[in-house]
Amino acid sequence: MRVGVVTFPGSLDDVDAARAIRAAGREAVPLWHGDHDLRGVDAVVLPGGFSYGDYLRCGAIARFAPVMTEVLAAAREGMPVLGICNGFQILCEAHLLPGALVRNHRQRFVCRDQRVRVDNSSTAWTAAYGDGQEIVLPLKNGEGGYVADKTTLDRLEGDGQVVARYLGGNPNGSLRDIAGICNGAGTVVGLMPHPEHAVDALCGPGTDGLGFFASLSGRVAQPAATSVTASRASTSPTP
Amino acid sequence: MARVVVDVMLKPEILDPQGKAVHGALPRLGFDGVVGVRQGKRFELELDGAVTPERLEQVRAMAATLLSNPVIEDFSVRIDGEPEA
């Protein structure tokens, strides 16, 4: 299974994301923001960082990078896409996920190991976890407050599209403690905490993040409506 | 040459921590009587030639596509030197 990692100007966590993908036994494939080419990958990770210096709004310019045309088209065909931190912001700016991420409510950049609960373990990226499983992931953001209108929030909750929630206090003002959401098919996931920094106990809070990369099954490019079932049917072993 | 101004503001219901920080600083500097501050962005677009209704429509499209995020922000467009269009 080949998993692409996009590097934009200002990406920081692309190397860690590639390392996490390899740690989960998948092949990591570097993708370049300026290429109209996904190099035949089966899934894509949009990594954290400050693409284009966070100019204008976080993710607003990266959204229009040439490679994103291909990512958006493939995502709409059912290809799994995981956006972490800045990647989550890009997915929201691209309207692949609803809502937006705004400046933290207390104006402080947050950097800590954060307890998170996995609320939906049937997405393409969370199948290795159990529903309600509590994990610890590094969280580091200045604009990580998830906002959406009430109708959207109610719909996300009702349809099980809240993938993860903050535990032990809300770090950034995200509405309803939302740390991550997915699209209706469960193939596209946006996450503010960083699972790629929690794949090795030597240099992270543990290995709780490995499951995001181990969850990916070999089944890809399913029609959007059946993707959730497909990922459920072929759950990868828990790391 | 003509200049078109696009103002982008967070929607009223979105918390604005930057505006709050500015608001908090004003009394410390001795400026009283300000009950709220909201911070936004102003874009000045230099266009070649005259501003036609079509060009203005094009600027509105730019504002809705790139300059603002309609999920969290509102924008207004006006020709520099004229009241808001």
Side-chain angles (χ1 to χ4, degrees):
Chain A
M1 171 136 202
R2 289 158 54 81
V3 184
V5 180
V6 177
T7 299
F8 298 97
S11 291
L12 296 180
D13 301 325
D14 44 342
V15 175
D16 273 22
R19 188 167 169 273
I21 289 162
R22 288 194 300 272
R26 273 66 175 167
E27 184 187 349
V29 179
L31 300 176
W32 185 242
H33 70 100
D35 294 342
H36 275 285
D37 186 4
L38 294 184
R39 300 180 61 189
V41 296
D42 304 305
V44 165
V45 173
L46 303 177
F50 299 86
S51 59
Y52 297 90
D54 275 354
Y55 288 180
L56 190 59
R57 296 176 307 279
C58 304
I61 299 176
R63 169 206 168 182
F64 293 105
V67 77
M68 283 305 296
T69 312
E70 313 306 320
V71 170
L72 296 182
R76 290 193 185 101
E77 296 291 311
M79 188 183 73
V81 177
L82 173 65
I84 304 166
C85 197
N86 191 217
F88 187 7
Q89 293 163 338
I90 294 169
L91 290 175
C92 286
E93 280 284 342
H95 309 304
L96 213 50
L97 293 174
L101 292 138
V102 299
R103 199 167 291 266
N104 296 351
H105 61 338
R106 279 193 279 270
Q107 306 145 33
R108 293 242 172 87
F109 192 94
V110 171
C111 184
R112 60 162 79 152
D113 293 336
Q114 175 71 42
R115 274 203 309 135
V116 171
R117 187 180 65 231
V118 178
D119 274 1
N120 180 348
S121 65
S122 61
T123 78
W125 298 92
T126 54
Y129 299 100
D131 265 342
Q133 188 174 341
E134 295 186 15
I135 58 177
V136 175
L137 301 176
L139 178 74
K140 43 167 194 165
N141 64 71
E143 301 187 38
Y146 181 75
V147 296
D149 59 45
K150 187 178 177 302
T151 314
T152 305
L153 291 169
D154 289 343
R155 185 169 53 77
L156 287 174
E157 305 237 31
D159 295 347
Q161 286 177 247
V162 176
V163 174
R165 255 183 253 264
Y166 299 115
L167 295 175
N170 188 324
N172 50 25
S174 287
L175 298 179
R176 305 194 189 178
D177 298 334
I178 288 174
I181 57 169
C182 66
N183 64 347
T187 48
V188 178
V189 170
L191 192 67
M192 209 16 84
H194 290 260
E196 81 282 17
H197 295 329
V199 299
D200 187 334
L202 180 67
C203 49
T207 57
D208 286 355
L210 205 50
F212 280 88
F213 309 96
S215 290
L216 282 174
S217 68
R219 305 277 301 280
V220 290
Q222 301 290 325
T226 64
S227 307
V228 173
T229 339
S231 71
R232 266 205 188 117
S234 52
T235 303
S236 306
T238 311
Chain B
M1 287 275 285
R3 176 181 291 169
V4 176
V5 176
V6 180
D7 287 309
V8 176
M9 292 298 293
L10 280 175
K11 288 181 191 286
E13 66 270 24
I14 304 286
L15 183 72
D16 176 14
Q18 293 188 113
K20 272 178 72 177
V22 173
H23 184 219
L26 290 174
R28 290 200 294 276
L29 298 171
F31 296 109
D32 295 324
V34 179
V35 294
V37 177
R38 304 280 291 173
Q39 182 175 323
K41 297 189 187 101
R42 170 188 165 116
F43 300 86
E44 297 180 348
L45 278 63
E46 307 286 342
L47 306 185
D48 56 353
V51 181
T52 60
E54 292 76 32
R55 302 293 300 278
L56 265 186
E57 206 40 58
Q58 205 178 27
V59 171
R60 282 196 192 91
M62 293 176 208
T65 310
L66 179 65
L67 305 184
S68 77
N69 177 348
V71 176
I72 48 169
E73 293 168 326
D74 296 320
F75 68 84
S76 63
V77 175
R78 65 190 158 86
I79 302 165
D80 198 21
E82 289 182 16
E84 210 164 280

